[in-house]
Amino acid sequence: MDVDKSKIENRKTQIEASGIWTLAEAAGGKILPVSFELLARGRALAQKRGVRLTAVLMTDRADPEGLEELIQRGSDAVLLVEHPALEHFLVEPHAACLVELIRRHHPEVVLAGATSTGRTLMPYVAVRVDAGLTADCTGLDIEPETGNLLQTRPAIGGNVMATIETPTARPQMATVRPRSTRPLPRETVRRGEILRQAPPAKLASRVRRLEFVPLPDARTIADADVVVSAGRGLKTRQNVRLVAELAEAFDAAVGASRDVVDRGWLDYPHQVGLSGKTIAPRLYVAVGISGAIQHLAGMQTAQTIVAINSDPEAQIFRVADVGIVGDLFTVVPMLTAAIRKAKELNAEDAEERGEKQDKE
Amino acid sequence: MRIIVPIKQVPETGAVRMDEATGTMVREGVEAIVNPLDLYAIELALRLRDSSRSADGEGNHEVLALSMGPPKAQTALREALAMGCDRGVLLSDPAFAGSDTWATSNVLASAIRKLGEFALVICGERATDGDTGQVGPGIASFLDLPLVTYVSRVRSFGPDEMVVERLVEEGHEVLAMSLPGVLTVVKEACDPRLPTLRGKQRARQAELVRWGHQELGLAREKVGLAGSPTRVVRLHRPSVARQCRRLIAADEESAALAVRELVDILRQKNLL
Ligand SMILES: Cc1cc2nc3c(=O)[nH]c(=O)nc-3n(C[C@H](O)[C@H](O)[C@H](O)COP(=O)(O)OP(=O)(O)OC[C@H]3O[C@@H](n4cnc5c(N)ncnc54)[C@H](O)[C@@H]3O)c2cc1C
Ligand SMILES: Nc1ncnc2c1ncn2[C@@H]1O[C@H](COP(=O)(O)O)[C@@H](O)[C@H]1O
């Protein structure tokens, strides 16, 4: 390979911000957490491949602090398009912008969250730029030499994982399951550039947004630090109360396996797993859940996993950090009482410490 | 007014088993069904057809089901006819084998273009086998049509515009889309009807149009595996093992010990 030429190529890459791109999502001017998760993924790929990482933000008006946070959480540059037509997600104007940016800068990889936005925008764009697109990835890697993105996702109802490549087409596009990874910590010393980009001349939409109706019940398992989940081992709908009480003691959200939701013991928003939500809480407690592969797909990235199950062979123990092998009807009430007590003690301790400080 | 519903025939994934030794899918005896999420698309199309028929009288109102797949995918189309769809078009050609979502969208969009005027394309949210949800948006992009995904309700329909509700993470949006356009629908949209006996009889006798890549004027390199940018390079069983600390709670006493130990561990990990 011609050395000089590769040097020029490299410089061009830097100026033009090609390399790896991640899509930032914003709502009401605020950057959404999924944007930072994508940067954590992108950072690892960019490092391995030796290229730059760029966050793309299309919005009506960017909040300067949000832009800074995109840099501090991993991006080398932010490609920013501001236009009133980009206030809310509408596929046509957003796609027109992204297509234009891709044609201008030729990124190798474009990642978006597998959110209602990402899953709509990315296939619309992939068709326009003749790119391959892989949905709902849970694992990403890159071959440093070829730059081929190795995209891993559950297939055939979550029974197997498939790894997918796009050997010839560029960019390689993928949507990534939200909460399948953690954002990088904020590094306040990181520096990067904000590259303002003109939107394409035409930003029309044949869809108009008339209204938005927020969910009445905003309490979600997706945002909770601790999730306590109920499985079929609870045997009846009434017994789900045991899990609700344990959750309350932990100040946790209540999750469920699909069997529990299918039986109507809890509603669909509680469902954890392949056809429910993917969550990554600090603590996940599985009560009477066998640990089917489709359930694991939704919670195995939790930091600490505790399982309570009477069957020593249950699959859930394979992913658990702590497993209590025993009858949940004995263990759960005891645990609820113990957690309540531990929290009370904590509160008293805190009060005491507070009093001491007051005296000093 | 014509509504087109692309439907996919899929294996009954609930019944799919894995051969533990080889890590491959056991296909024998697995039934092929209409993608369960496409039933909602069919139902919504039938309702919109019937309501506009009663609104502007007898005109040319039809729902056309469209499927790309092997010859046996005609059974999926017949099922759609049995539910009440008016016509079925099968896109079947050995050259289509191995299509990814880009190539599939291309074939379906070409067929829709060839069919002529229409008001609406309604897709399922996703197919339960491929599980991508990319084909609906792909069709809209190939045809350069407006698109609304995750539609949970139709508030009004036609003749030049429709108003729908779209489910997103924090609630739902109300959107007006000009027609023609493309929707993908979620379960909340409606309850699919069952086929009637009369419908089944009609479906059995119905003639299905069948097109391959030549009828669609598509080059071989643009369809099937050749026209697909993505490649599956590896299938494997996920490995998920962590080091599990087991606490045995065989009776009240050991349960109390186990609970105490768990609380200690949680405290050490700063989780309380
Ligand atoms: C395409 C597809 C998608 C799916 N998506 C999901 C999904 O998103 N989420 C999901 O959860 N599942 C999903 N499933 C279903 C999944 O395969 C399992 O069927 C389901 O997770 C099982 O739920 P469970 O663990 O509550 O019930 P079971 O498998 O019946 O397990 C109950 C457990 O409770 C234990 N138990 C019983 N009595 C007691 C007791 N007294 N004390 C302690 N333990 C006890 C048993 O040992 C057993 O391990 C999906 C399946 C398919 C095919
Ligand atoms: N081979 C196919 N034939 C007809 N319609 C399809 C086909 N594949 C996908 N679709 C449509 O696109 C939707 C999304 O599929 P997918 O992107 O494969 O998850 C399905 O619900 C169908 O409406």
Side-chain angles (χ1 to χ4, degrees):
Chain A
M1 200 195 187
D2 189 334
V3 176
D4 276 350
K5 200 174 154 205
S6 82
K7 258 192 191 152
I8 294 167
E9 292 279 3
N10 268 340
R11 209 171 314 133
K12 210 170 121 201
T13 305
Q14 294 217 331
I15 296 164
E16 293 200 346
S18 69
I20 314 273
W21 287 11
T22 64
L23 215 69
E25 278 188 47
K30 235 182 102 61
I31 309 280
L32 300 179
V34 66
S35 319
F36 305 125
E37 295 165 25
L38 289 171
L39 285 173
R41 297 274 193 180
R43 190 73 255 154
L45 300 176
Q47 239 140 23
K48 202 158 174 192
R49 174 82 173 133
V51 295
R52 301 221 308 171
L53 174 63
T54 301
V56 176
L57 178 61
M58 300 177 279
T59 180
D60 58 329
R61 91 203 116 78
D63 153 44
E65 194 163 327
L67 291 173
E68 203 161 280
E69 190 168 356
L70 287 171
I71 304 274
Q72 292 173 347
R73 292 201 193 261
S75 62
D76 299 310
V78 180
L79 275 180
L80 173 64
V81 188
E82 281 181 317
H83 191 280
L86 302 171
E87 181 182 1
H88 301 296
F89 173 70
L90 292 170
V91 69
E92 292 167 87
H94 278 79
C97 279
L98 188 54
V99 166
E100 175 91 8
L101 293 179
I102 290 171
R103 290 198 178 133
R104 234 179 254 167
H105 301 283
H106 309 287
E108 300 176 21
V109 170
V110 181
L111 305 178
T115 57
S116 60
T117 294
R119 300 191 94 178
T120 306
L121 176 62
M122 293 287 270
Y124 206 89
V125 169
V127 160
R128 296 295 160 97
V129 298
D130 285 346
L133 171 61
T134 304
D136 221 10
C137 297
T138 53
L140 290 174
D141 200 357
I142 202 161
E143 290 175 352
E145 320 78 53
T146 60
N148 280 349
L149 187 66
L150 302 170
Q151 307 157 98
T152 300
R153 66 181 303 257
I156 326 176
N159 285 293
V160 284
M161 302 298 284
T163 301
I164 293 161
E165 262 184 31
T166 316
T168 52
R170 292 290 183 274
Q172 309 166 85
M173 299 176 67
T175 61
V176 181
R177 270 223 141 176
R179 290 182 184 266
S180 60
T181 189
R182 268 165 217 292
L184 298 170
R186 231 173 142 151
E187 261 183 72
T188 48
V189 294
R190 271 188 70 89
R191 292 285 171 272
E193 9 170 13
I194 310 293
L195 305 168
R196 277 178 190 279
Q197 300 286 302
K202 199 173 135 246
L203 270 192
S205 176
R206 287 165 289 180
V207 176
R208 281 175 298 128
R209 191 179 195 257
L210 306 177
E211 195 186 332
F212 181 71
V213 185
L215 271 179
D217 186 5
R219 156 191 61 101
T220 64
I221 53 172
D223 300 319
D225 251 3
V226 181
V227 174
V228 182
S229 279
R232 203 168 60 157
L234 282 153
K235 300 214 164 61
T236 66
R237 179 196 211 125
Q238 282 72 38
N239 292 336
V240 173
R241 175 183 50 88
L242 292 175
V243 164
E245 283 165 6
L246 180 57
E248 203 186 307
F250 269 115
D251 194 16
V254 175
S257 71
R258 189 167 93 174
D259 270 56
V260 162
V261 171
D262 283 352
R263 274 153 219 272
W265 299 352
L266 285 165
D267 297 337
Y268 177 70
H270 294 275
Q271 185 174 319
V272 174
L274 187 71
S275 45
K277 288 205 180 71
T278 304
I279 58 174
R282 288 180 66 217
L283 173 63
Y284 187 81
V285 184
V287 179
I289 292 178
S290 60
I293 197 86
Q294 296 91 353
H295 187 81
L296 303 186
M299 43 61 79
Q300 57 185 292
T301 45
Q303 239 167 51
T304 299
I305 297 172
V306 173
I308 302 167
N309 195 307
S310 52
D311 173 9
E313 304 296 321
Q315 292 290 312
I316 191 76
F317 291 129
R318 286 181 42 212
V319 300
D321 299 283
V322 186
I324 298 190
V325 184
D327 184 3
L328 71 90
F329 295 100
T330 313
V331 173
V332 171
M334 278 185 184
L335 183 58
T336 304
I339 300 296
R340 277 195 192 127
K341 206 163 130 210
K343 291 239 171 173
E344 270 165 31
L345 285 178
N346 276 355
E348 277 169 29
D349 278 1
E351 223 166 87
E352 236 164 69
R353 273 198 303 275
E355 272 169 27
K356 259 191 208 147
Q357 262 173 11
D358 286 347
K359 277 176 199 153
E360 275 159 17
Chain B
M1 179 226 47
R2 177 191 281 152
I3 301 176
I4 298 174
V5 186
I7 62 172
K8 186 177 187 186
Q9 190 174 54
V10 298
E12 233 244 81
T13 38
V16 170
R17 282 175 304 117
M18 294 298 296
D19 183 331
E20 292 286 338
T22 61
T24 54
M25 188 175 145
V26 182
R27 286 172 191 272
E28 284 88 67
V30 177
E31 210 186 328
I33 56 171
V34 177
N35 171 31
L37 296 171
D38 292 349
L39 300 178
Y40 301 91
I42 295 173
E43 177 65 35
L44 184 63
L46 296 176
R47 287 190 196 181
L48 294 178
R49 173 196 66 188
D50 295 343
S51 65
S52 33
R53 185 175 282 161
S54 55
D56 45 74
E58 291 301 319
N60 230 350
H61 295 289
E62 68 164 2
V63 174
L64 189 148
L66 182 64
S67 189
M68 181 187 97
K72 72 165 186 184
Q74 60 151 300
T75 54
L77 288 171
R78 291 195 195 278
E79 210 168 304
L81 295 178
M83 282 175 75
C85 294
D86 302 282
R87 280 208 282 159
V89 175
L90 178 65
L91 308 172
S92 194
D93 186 329
F96 294 161
S99 294
D100 72 359
T101 58
W102 194 99
T104 303
S105 311
N106 191 16
V107 167
L108 292 168
S110 304
I112 291 169
R113 214 178 276 127
K114 185 179 162 90
L115 284 164
E117 248 180 66
F118 61 91
L120 193 59
V121 176
I122 310 182
C123 287
E125 182 200 338
R126 58 196 157 80
T128 54
D129 61 344
D131 200 14
T132 77
Q134 290 175 177
V135 169
I139 292 172
S141 190
F142 270 113
L143 296 174
D144 192 20
L145 288 177
L147 161 74
V148 180
T149 51
Y150 306 106
V151 168
S152 58
R153 218 185 120 200
V154 173
R155 286 197 177 178
S156 67
F157 178 56
D160 305 315
E161 187 175 84
M162 70 189 302
V163 176
V164 297
E165 294 178 8
R166 171 177 189 254
L167 274 193
V168 297
E169 286 78 3
E170 303 83 22
H172 69 258
E173 301 173 324
V174 183
L175 302 166
M177 177 176 83
S178 69
L179 298 174
V182 178
L183 303 181
T184 77
V185 297
V186 293
K187 279 184 185 174
E188 285 77 1
C190 52
D191 278 323
R193 70 192 67 183
L194 293 171
T196 60
L197 202 59
R198 230 183 43 168
K200 278 186 190 164
Q201 277 163 355
R202 205 176 56 85
R204 223 172 291 130
Q205 289 148 12
E207 290 232 4
L208 300 175
V209 176
R210 181 169 160 176
W211 290 334
H213 76 279
Q214 274 162 345
E215 285 84 353
L216 296 179
L218 286 170
R220 244 170 194 283
E221 320 83 73
K222 287 286 171 193
V223 300
L225 194 61
S228 298
T230 59
R231 290 279 177 283
V232 175
V233 291
R234 201 162 76 95
L235 283 177
H236 62 100
R237 296 284 277 173
S239 72
V240 284
R242 293 192 193 200
Q243 219 35 285
C244 180
R245 169 115 180 227
R246 279 174 190 256
L247 309 170
I248 309 297
D251 49 29
E252 292 269 331
E253 200 176 324
S254 55
L257 279 175
V259 163
R260 198 174 312 151
E261 190 163 350
L262 173 58
V263 171
D264 282 344
I265 295 171
L266 294 178
R267 200 177 269 136
Q268 273 158 29
K269 291 187 175 236
N270 237 339
L271 288 165
L272 283 180

